Amino acid sequence: MSGTDGTIAAAAGVTGTPDSATRATGTGTGASGGGPRSAPSLTPVFVRLKLALLRNGLRQSSGRTVAYVVSAVFALLVAAGQLLGLVLLRGNDHAGTVVVLLAAVLALGWAVMPLFFPGGDETLDPTRLVMLPLRPRPLVRALLMASLVGLGPLFSLCLAVGSAIAVGHGAAAIAVAVLAVPLVLLICVALARAVATANIRLLTSRKGRDLAVLSGLVVAVGIQVVNFGAQRLGDAGGLSALDPTAEVLRWVPPASAIGAVDSASEGAYGTAAAQLLLSAGALAALLYVWQRSLVKLMTSPDGSTLAAAEPSRKESASAAGRLGRLLPEGRTGTVMLRSLRYVWRDPKTKAAWVTSLAIGLIVPLFNALQGRGTIYFACFAAGMLGIQMYNQFGQDTSAFWMVALTISSTRDAYLELRARAMALLVITLPYSTVVTVATAALLGDWRALPEALGLSFALLGAMLATGAVASARFPYSIPQDSGYKNVAPGQAGLAWISIFGGMLGAALICAPVIAVTIWLHVAGADGWTWLLFPVGTVYGALTAALGLRLAAPRTAARLPEILTAVSKG
């Protein structure tokens, strides 16, 4: 029995014996045999458990306590600011639109957060409760009440109260708000619990940890989407452009509960009643789905067994075999296959690649969609993926010793580095080409496509060269025990020198190609800019080859230092 299970059992008075299990479920008789004894309420037990988990977690270290206090103060300040802003919005013509959209975004956040941060709350994992004699219905009720303890629910409550104040006018609206605010909070919490329970097998697996590592990507993409949306709103004339969307979301729970307050303020009592009933029905449906998921989770076997995993392993081995047949033979093909497997299987490597792929696509395309971009932004794609060449050996962590055993000469080191660069090019070359072509299509600037491709390939070659040298001169370890640390303690300086020093070096190496591009445009020789495509391609290839040649002897000579550096995590 785990620590959490033991806490629940101790709080509920369950010791694991049949008699105690019978007492906990309320199916036994009293001491005098006079009749069935009612089961103790689980709700206060789970609330105390939630508080105990929070208290014990803060006792683990002073650093964790300080981080929690700082985050709590920051969250409360933001919540107070949001509440004040919503109160000041009262009487504005677009207040109804803003609060409805805010409620919808709030619910979306509650729905996706458990997928990216499943380890943030131990009570989100109902598999800890499968061995306890607990009935689903009281368990759902107890978990729901325990979920209301925390900073997230308090923050959401402030937003719901502020939204109700912003649109609530009159006694009827206040009466509706008294029901709407708890409905919004309960729907958000029940939605998060239902999503977490339905996906708990995934969230506690390796794929779930991959998903958590990629949470930073969602934040980065979300920021770009919000920025793009804000600029489009400014061009469209303000918040009035969101009115049609808000009209639809007024009938989507939990935004429908806030919409009911607005409807009651306008005297549409029938509409307000329908929106409240819709929200209440959504809450009931979520609780039912949550309960069904709990029953299924607690009564069905775990599929993560050897027999269940065997088909997927066979499929993975088959896919690797097909890919291996497409790669060169010998050491080059073996190293390329290993590097590509890291991209697909290792959570840290996968997160870095997916983030680079997404941001390298978002920056040029979003700027092109806004009509304010240039085709040269497409070089951002090659630059983001070129960063993956840096700290090549750190990606192997302590397993690098097996690679080091195969390197006994400068030629071995050269073949190792060249194969890693070729694995990167398998993805980077077609990706950079696609992004550049798409940017040219959105801008309608097909004349500049050859020079943009030439510049991208020159930049990519320069980053491969500097990345190989930096990997040999400034290796550092990537911790595997945390999804949010990419540098081992004490090696941050090495990481900064490796990445930013290498990027500065790549920019200087590309300076001749950039200078030729500027000279052709200044001289009015636009008809000759197509030559930049072959020139940039050849220049990038020669630069990459030279960088690999320079890095190989350093790698062979510094194998012990590299192994020590990358094994610290």
Side-chain angles (χ1 to χ4, degrees):
M1 184 178 290
S2 67
T4 305
D5 301 341
T7 305
I8 298 173
V14 178
T15 60
T17 64
D19 181 61
S20 61
T22 302
R23 289 198 308 271
T25 53
T27 58
T29 60
S32 60
R37 177 182 297 176
S38 60
S41 175
L42 287 177
T43 301
V45 173
F46 273 75
V47 172
R48 290 197 300 270
L49 172 64
K50 182 67 174 289
L51 294 173
L53 289 172
L54 178 61
R55 183 175 59 254
N56 294 337
L58 295 179
R59 287 176 177 174
Q60 292 181 2
S61 66
S62 58
R64 185 168 182 174
T65 303
V66 171
Y68 181 82
V69 171
V70 171
S71 62
V73 171
F74 178 76
L76 292 176
L77 289 176
V78 173
Q82 294 280 357
L83 177 60
L84 179 61
L86 289 170
V87 171
L88 295 177
L89 193 63
R90 182 181 175 88
N92 188 280
D93 294 338
H94 299 291
T97 297
V98 172
V99 297
V100 166
L101 292 174
L102 181 62
V105 171
L106 181 65
L108 179 62
W110 275 93
V112 301
M113 282 301 105
L115 298 177
F116 296 119
F117 303 101
D121 184 356
E122 290 186 70
T123 62
L124 279 175
D125 186 359
T127 58
R128 298 173 180 266
L129 312 174
V130 294
M131 299 301 293
L132 299 177
L134 303 174
R135 296 184 182 276
R137 184 169 298 177
L139 180 59
V140 166
R141 185 168 57 248
L143 287 174
L144 181 64
M145 292 299 104
S147 300
L148 297 177
V149 178
L151 293 176
L154 179 59
F155 183 87
S156 302
L157 179 62
C158 291
L159 294 184
V161 171
S163 299
I165 294 175
V167 295
H169 303 281
I174 294 175
V176 172
V178 171
L179 299 175
V181 170
L183 273 176
V184 170
L185 183 58
L186 290 175
I187 288 175
C188 288
V189 173
L191 178 61
R193 285 289 184 172
V195 170
T197 303
N199 296 278
I200 194 63
R201 299 294 189 196
L202 168 66
L203 298 179
T204 54
S205 65
R206 183 177 65 84
K207 291 183 178 180
R209 292 191 292 272
D210 293 351
L211 191 64
V213 171
L214 296 179
S215 58
L217 170 62
V218 175
V219 175
V221 174
I223 291 174
Q224 293 292 334
V225 172
V226 170
N227 179 48
F228 178 68
Q231 293 184 2
R232 292 297 297 269
L233 278 179
D235 297 338
L239 292 173
S240 58
L242 295 176
D243 289 341
T245 304
E247 288 299 325
V248 175
L249 292 178
R250 286 176 187 273
W251 295 96
V252 178
S256 56
I258 299 299
V261 180
D262 192 22
S263 298
S265 298
E266 297 176 356
Y269 302 121
T271 302
Q275 290 170 323
L276 274 181
L277 288 175
L278 181 62
S279 299
L283 177 60
L286 285 172
L287 293 176
Y288 176 76
V289 172
W290 182 11
Q291 180 178 326
R292 289 292 299 270
S293 297
L294 276 176
V295 172
K296 182 179 179 181
L297 185 68
M298 294 183 171
T299 57
S300 61
D302 187 0
S304 58
T305 59
L306 182 62
E310 193 64 30
S312 62
R313 291 181 180 178
K314 290 181 179 179
E315 292 176 3
S316 177
S318 176
R322 290 193 297 269
L323 178 60
R325 287 193 292 269
L326 299 176
L327 299 176
E329 295 183 356
R331 183 189 185 109
T332 300
T334 302
V335 175
M336 289 180 67
L337 183 59
R338 185 211 318 145
S339 298
L340 294 173
R341 277 177 171 171
Y342 278 164
V343 175
W344 181 250
R345 293 183 179 180
D346 180 63
K348 287 293 185 70
T349 306
K350 180 188 293 186
W353 271 91
V354 173
T355 302
S356 297
L357 288 168
I359 297 178
L361 181 69
I362 288 172
V363 170
L365 294 191
F366 271 44
N367 280 280
L369 287 171
Q370 295 171 19
R372 304 168 184 171
T374 171
I375 194 171
Y376 300 114
F377 277 147
C379 296
F380 206 85
M384 288 300 300
L385 293 191
I387 294 176
Q388 305 307 314
M389 188 63 190
Y390 294 82
N391 196 34
Q392 276 292 309
F393 307 126
Q395 298 174 11
D396 299 343
T397 63
S398 58
F400 178 69
W401 71 270
M402 292 186 290
V403 177
L405 291 176
T406 67
I407 300 176
S408 58
S409 64
T410 298
R411 176 168 176 76
D412 290 337
Y414 172 74
L415 293 177
E416 177 75 22
L417 288 169
R418 188 186 67 177
R420 292 177 182 241
M422 290 174 65
L424 189 145
L425 290 174
V426 167
I427 302 174
T428 305
L429 279 178
Y431 173 80
S432 300
T433 303
V434 169
V435 172
T436 307
V437 172
T439 305
L442 290 174
L443 294 173
D445 192 6
W446 294 106
R447 179 184 293 272
L449 177 60
E451 61 184 281
L453 284 173
L455 286 172
S456 294
F457 294 157
L459 175 61
L460 181 58
M463 297 197 75
L464 290 179
T466 57
V469 174
S471 295
R473 295 295 300 271
F474 307 107
Y476 57 90
S477 178
I478 301 176
Q480 298 298 307
D481 57 350
S482 172
Y484 307 100
K485 293 180 180 179
N486 292 315
V487 182
Q491 293 186 329
L494 284 174
W496 280 87
I497 294 173
S498 174
I499 297 177
F500 290 98
M503 292 173 64
L504 178 60
L508 293 176
I509 292 173
C510 285
V513 181
I514 297 174
V516 171
T517 304
I518 296 174
W519 178 77
L520 287 175
H521 285 285
V522 171
D526 294 341
W528 294 95
T529 55
W530 64 270
L531 288 174
L532 290 171
F533 173 61
V535 169
T537 303
V538 173
Y539 185 85
L542 294 176
T543 301
L546 179 60
L548 294 173
R549 291 287 182 183
L550 292 175
R554 290 178 172 83
T555 300
R558 301 187 71 249
L559 279 179
E561 292 89 342
I562 295 173
L563 181 58
T564 302
V566 302
S567 300
K568 287 185 177 181

